[in-house]
Amino acid sequence: MSLTASDRTGLRVRDVLATPVTVLPALPGMAKTTWRYLTRTRPVMHHRRYDTRAPVPGLDPDRELPGDPSGVQRRGAGHGPVYHRTYVIEIEDARIGPEELVNHLVVDLNRASPTEVARFERLGPKRGRDVGAELCVQMPGPWGAPVRIVDRTATSFRFATLSGHLEAGEIEFRAAWGKGGRLVFEIESWARSADRLFHLLYHLLWLPREMQMHMWVAVCLEAVRLAGGRPADRVLVTTHRHRGAH
């Protein structure tokens, strides 16, 4: 069964502004999320930022993807610069390997996600681990961020954004053995704002950017727990903002 855009629960910023009363029930969750960011995230990560006009590295954003192509929100259709981010954590004394860690996450990302920020809910009949499966990332307020699994290997999986998501692009989760027998977990994303209004808000307001970073840093730290190890160092976050590049 193929899902249409109306089957998904994502709402754009313009929809929220048209119905502000829907935001009110989410204010406690937003406040809790803000507090978690202010008290936890800053001490546990390094962040490097770069501005560049170089081409965006990674896979061809216009390549053929599994599932209904009309539902995919491709990077080239978005607005503003492309943000290429990586989140990396090295894990000492892991009790499981890359394959098992990635399998834990692809089966249920809620095991690692800070669910007051983002809860992953399955859409349609496909299991969450299968290529073509669609999920909606439910966030505080009326926002929903639908995604589709477009790639899956023994040690990685990748989401592409679908119609209704606030961003246009892809995000990948992967694990591998690193130096000294450490387990390395990484998240890598390539995304830009889905429409002009979100692009404007994303750049004017610091909180959406910081909350997004908080969410994926938290997933990295929870991956350490799932692996049964301990962090070798803080989470390294690297952001490349590609101006004028799609």
Side-chain angles (χ1 to χ4, degrees):
M1 179 177 68
S2 178
L3 297 175
T4 65
S6 61
D7 294 322
R8 305 186 182 100
T9 55
L11 287 177
R12 295 285 184 82
V13 174
R14 59 175 176 268
D15 302 316
V16 175
L17 294 179
T19 56
V21 69
T22 60
V23 179
L24 296 179
L27 290 179
M30 292 177 179
K32 182 179 179 182
T33 299
T34 302
W35 176 252
R36 279 173 62 94
Y37 165 70
L38 292 175
T39 59
R40 180 182 182 186
T41 299
R42 288 179 180 175
V44 295
M45 74 175 184
H46 300 286
H47 188 198
R48 300 171 180 168
R49 300 175 177 88
Y50 305 93
D51 260 322
T52 179
R53 290 190 176 274
V56 182
L59 298 177
D60 177 6
D62 298 318
R63 71 194 186 284
E64 185 176 349
L65 296 173
D68 179 9
S70 66
V72 179
Q73 200 153 263
R74 293 185 180 272
R75 201 169 73 205
H79 298 270
V82 175
Y83 286 86
H84 175 214
R85 289 194 175 94
T86 57
Y87 306 78
V88 182
I89 183 76
E90 294 189 1
I91 305 170
E92 297 269 20
D93 302 323
R95 297 180 182 177
I96 61 176
E99 296 87 353
E100 191 173 352
L101 176 58
V102 166
N103 192 61
H104 282 323
L105 295 173
V106 75
V107 168
D108 185 8
L109 251 173
N110 291 317
R111 298 184 67 179
S113 176
T115 53
E116 76 277 7
V117 181
R119 176 175 291 277
F120 291 79
E121 297 181 359
R122 189 179 69 183
L123 299 174
K126 284 197 174 185
R127 294 182 302 170
R129 71 185 72 183
D130 297 333
V131 170
E134 296 186 1
L135 302 93
C136 188
V137 189
Q138 298 291 354
M139 298 176 286
W143 297 287
V147 295
R148 178 185 299 157
I149 298 179
V150 295
D151 188 67
R152 171 77 165 100
T153 73
T155 58
S156 70
F157 63 98
R158 180 186 290 236
F159 290 142
T161 58
L162 301 177
S163 300
H165 201 292
L166 295 176
E167 292 188 312
E170 299 180 50
I171 185 168
E172 182 173 288
F173 306 80
R174 57 181 178 262
W177 289 116
K179 295 180 179 179
R182 292 175 176 173
L183 179 61
V184 181
F185 177 68
E186 298 182 63
I187 301 172
E188 184 171 13
S189 66
W190 306 257
R192 60 205 299 240
S193 299
D195 59 30
R196 288 186 175 87
L197 181 54
F198 184 64
H199 166 61
L200 178 64
L201 293 177
Y202 191 80
H203 287 276
L204 287 180
L205 305 176
W206 67 272
L207 194 57
R209 299 192 301 272
E210 296 299 326
M211 288 302 171
Q212 183 184 57
M213 191 178 306
H214 159 77
M215 172 184 169
W216 297 125
V217 167
V219 169
C220 288
L221 296 174
E222 286 301 303
V224 176
R225 180 186 62 80
L226 288 173
R230 54 188 176 84
D233 198 351
R234 293 184 285 176
V235 180
L236 174 60
V237 183
T238 305
T239 298
H240 287 86
R241 183 170 62 171
H242 293 262
R243 295 179 176 272
H246 297 172

